[in-house]
Amino acid sequence: SWQWGGGWLDANGFYDFAGSSLVHGFGGFAALACVMLLGPRKGKYLEGGKIKPILGHSMPLATMGVFLLFLGWFGFNGGSGLNADPYLVSLVFVTTALAAVSGGLAAILISWTVIKKPDLSMALNGILAGLVGITAGADVISPFWSIVVGFIAGIIVVFSILMFDKIKIDDPVGAISVHGVCGIWGTLAVAIFSDEASFLSQLIGTLSVSFAAFAAAF
C-alpha cells in the first residue's frame, strides 16, 4: 500500500518494480527478527569462536529448488509489467536472467577466493541474490548494467552470510542475506543504474520497509 497502492513511498518518488524491498527486503528482515528470537541451532557455534557448518540433507534437491525459483522469477518479474507488451516483457526476461547468472558466477569466484573452495550453497545463493538484486529495476536497468547489478549482489551475499555467522546469527539458508541485504542493494541499484528514482528516495523507502518488517515480525 505504501508503494503499489499509491501511498507515501509512491508520492516520495520511490521505485520498486517487482519487490526487491517490498517483497524480498520485507521477508529478509522479518526473518532476521525470527532468528534473533529463536537463537542458533544446537552445535552451530562452538567454543573458541569455531563455527560448525550444518549442511542441508540434500544439495541436489536444494539445487533443483533454486532452478525452480529461477524459472518462477520469469513469471514473478515478467508478470509485474501487468501487460503483455513484447518489448517490456522481453527486456525484463533478459535482465532477470543475466543478473541471476552473473550473481551465481560472482558468488562462486568470491567463495573460491575467501573460503578456498567454489562452494555450491554460496553459488545457489548467488543466483538468488542476483535475482533479488534486479527485481526492483528489471524494467528500467539495461541488460549490460543488470550483469553488474547481479555480480555485485553475488559478492555482497557471500560476505553477508559470513558476517552473520561471525556475529552468531544463525540463518540456515542465508535468507537474511539473500532477501534482506540484497533487497536493499537492488533497491538502491535503481537509482545508481537508471534515471527512474533518486538515491535518497530509494534509501528512505528500503530502510522504512526493512524496519517495519523487522519491528512487526519481532
Side-chain angles (χ1 to χ4, degrees), residues 161-209:
I161 288 170
L162 295 175
M163 182 271 293
F164 279 115
D165 256 348
K166 206 164 195 176
I167 60 175
K168 297 188 176 181
I169 291 179
D170 183 18
D171 180 1
V173 295
I176 301 162
S177 300
V178 168
H179 299 280
V181 176
C182 289
I184 289 176
W185 158 243
T187 308
L188 297 177
V190 175
I192 299 169
F193 298 104
S194 80
D195 300 322
E196 198 63 42
S198 74
F199 190 85
L200 185 61
S201 67
Q202 294 300 94
L203 183 64
I204 291 170
T206 193
L207 293 181
S208 300
V209 170

Side-chain angles (χ1 to χ4, degrees), residues 115-129:
I115 59 178
K116 309 304 178 191
K117 63 174 182 174
D119 187 79
L120 174 60
S121 64
M122 288 293 192
L124 298 176
N125 275 332
I127 292 171
L128 296 178

Side-chain angles (χ1 to χ4, degrees), residues 151-164:
F151 197 86
I152 294 172
I155 294 170
I156 289 170
V157 78
V158 174
F159 288 113
S160 179
I161 288 170
L162 295 175
M163 182 271 293
F164 279 115

Side-chain angles (χ1 to χ4, degrees), residues 9 16-17 20 40 46 51 60 81 90 92 94 110 118 134 136 141-142 144 153 157-158 170 176 187 196 202 215:
L9 285 183
D16 191 350
F17 174 63
S20 282
L46 308 174
I51 301 168
S90 57
V92 170
V94 169
I110 295 300
I134 198 60
I141 294 174
S142 72
F144 173 79
V157 78
V158 174
D170 183 18
I176 301 162
T187 308
E196 198 63 42
Q202 294 300 94

Side-chain angles (χ1 to χ4, degrees), residues 59-83:
M59 293 314 291
L61 278 179
T63 305
M64 288 172 62
V66 167
F67 278 97
L68 286 169
L69 281 167
F70 193 163
L71 178 65
W73 232 279
F74 291 115
F76 185 75
N77 281 2
S80 292
L82 304 181
N83 64 59

